[in-house]
Amino acid sequence: DTAVSQTPKYLVTQMGNDKSIKCEQNLGHDTMYWYKQDSKKFLKIMFSYNNKELIINETVPNRFSPKSPDKAHLNLHINSLELGDSAVYFCASSPPRTGGQETQYFGPGTRLLVL
Amino acid sequence: QKEVEQNSGPLSVPEGAIASLNCTYSDRGSQSFFWYRQYSGKSPELIMFIYSNGDKEDGRFTAQLNKASQYVSLLIRDSQPSDSATYLCAAQRGLTGGGNKLTFGTGTQLKVEL
């Protein structure tokens, strides 16, 4: 049973195209996240939804738009792809916040290459 | 100043030795601290977390937290070649809208040599 899954695993596309990445979790968690890991392996938060409400929206170009149709799904749509968007995008989820020790569980990542 | 700082390494230790990984953070509102391990081409996986000052042990791993010094460390005893990976330190704070924000360091690459 895959806890946090992402599709596709690999995405190779041309500059200027629009693409979407999908994420699903079957852990019953309330909160989901999108992270970007660049070529230097730095993992940075982009967005987070809690019960389908946007709670984190970091300084990200507005070409990136997250959508959460329900608590178990969080998608990321990217318009007008640029070379600098090439990275690994990780989805994660965590249970409801109680004491602040909630762990985030990561999906396998989507490797995006923009040519 | 980065919010979470780690030495990028690589840190090389012989098999069987203790590997010591260090991390400092700047946000005093951080409540919990996490260590993730990431193998090349894979996703981060949780090793352990700590939220109280002092030590926390789990098998071969010990996390240490000193909130006054804003310092977190991870000790790996009896290091094995399979421990060779990048170790990510992260600081977490709660958000008013629910959920948490996890801020990662750049990671320390550990190499355990035979």
Side-chain angles (χ1 to χ4, degrees), chain B residues 6-46:
Chain B
Q6 295 181 256
N7 188 324
S8 61
L11 172 66
S12 293
V13 298
E15 186 179 4
I18 296 175
S20 177
L21 304 160
N22 305 314
C23 170
T24 58
Y25 63 94
S26 60
D27 180 5
R28 285 194 178 273
S30 300
Q31 298 164 292
S32 308
F33 304 87
F34 294 75
W35 285 99
Y36 283 83
R37 176 176 62 199
Q38 187 174 25
Y39 292 112
S40 181
K42 300 293 186 185
S43 58
E45 55 176 331
L46 179 73

Side-chain angles (χ1 to χ4, degrees), chain A residues 37 55 97 100 102 104 107 111, chain B residues 32 36 38 41 43 95 99-100:
Chain A
Q37 188 169 45
I55 57 169
R97 183 156 60 92
E102 298 72 37
Q104 293 187 22
R111 282 144 188 84
Chain B
S32 308
Y36 283 83
Q38 187 174 25
S43 58
L95 299 171
N100 298 297

Side-chain angles (χ1 to χ4, degrees), chain A:
Chain A
D1 274 353
T2 305
V4 183
S5 59
Q6 293 178 229
T7 53
K9 286 188 73 172
Y10 300 95
L11 190 49
V12 181
T13 187
Q14 299 287 331
M15 246 183 353
N17 283 350
D18 303 339
K19 290 292 177 187
S20 291
I21 307 172
K22 297 189 175 187
C23 178
E24 177 181 359
Q25 54 95 4
N26 62 7
L27 297 166
H29 289 167
D30 283 10
T31 313
M32 296 184 73
Y33 309 80
W34 277 115
Y35 287 86
K36 179 181 180 181
Q37 188 169 45
D38 60 25
S39 56
K40 294 183 179 174
K41 308 299 183 192
F42 182 51
L43 196 57
K44 187 163 169 40
I45 183 72
M46 299 172 69
F47 301 103
S48 177
Y49 273 77
N50 184 56
N51 283 319
K52 299 197 296 174
E53 278 197 42
L54 184 65
I55 57 169
I56 296 177
N57 186 356
E58 292 290 289
T59 309
V60 175
N62 56 15
R63 298 182 293 104
F64 289 79
S65 52
K67 274 206 173 62
S68 181
D70 55 58
K71 286 198 312 184
H73 295 86
L74 180 61
N75 303 324
L76 183 65
H77 188 75
I78 315 171
N79 287 327
S80 302
L81 278 155
E82 299 178 357
L83 294 177
D85 297 332
S86 296
V88 182
Y89 292 84
F90 287 103
C91 176
S93 71
S94 65
R97 183 156 60 92
T98 51
Q101 296 90 46
E102 298 72 37
T103 297
Q104 293 187 22
Y105 296 89
F106 285 79
T110 295
R111 282 144 188 84
L112 172 64
L113 178 60
V114 182
L115 302 173

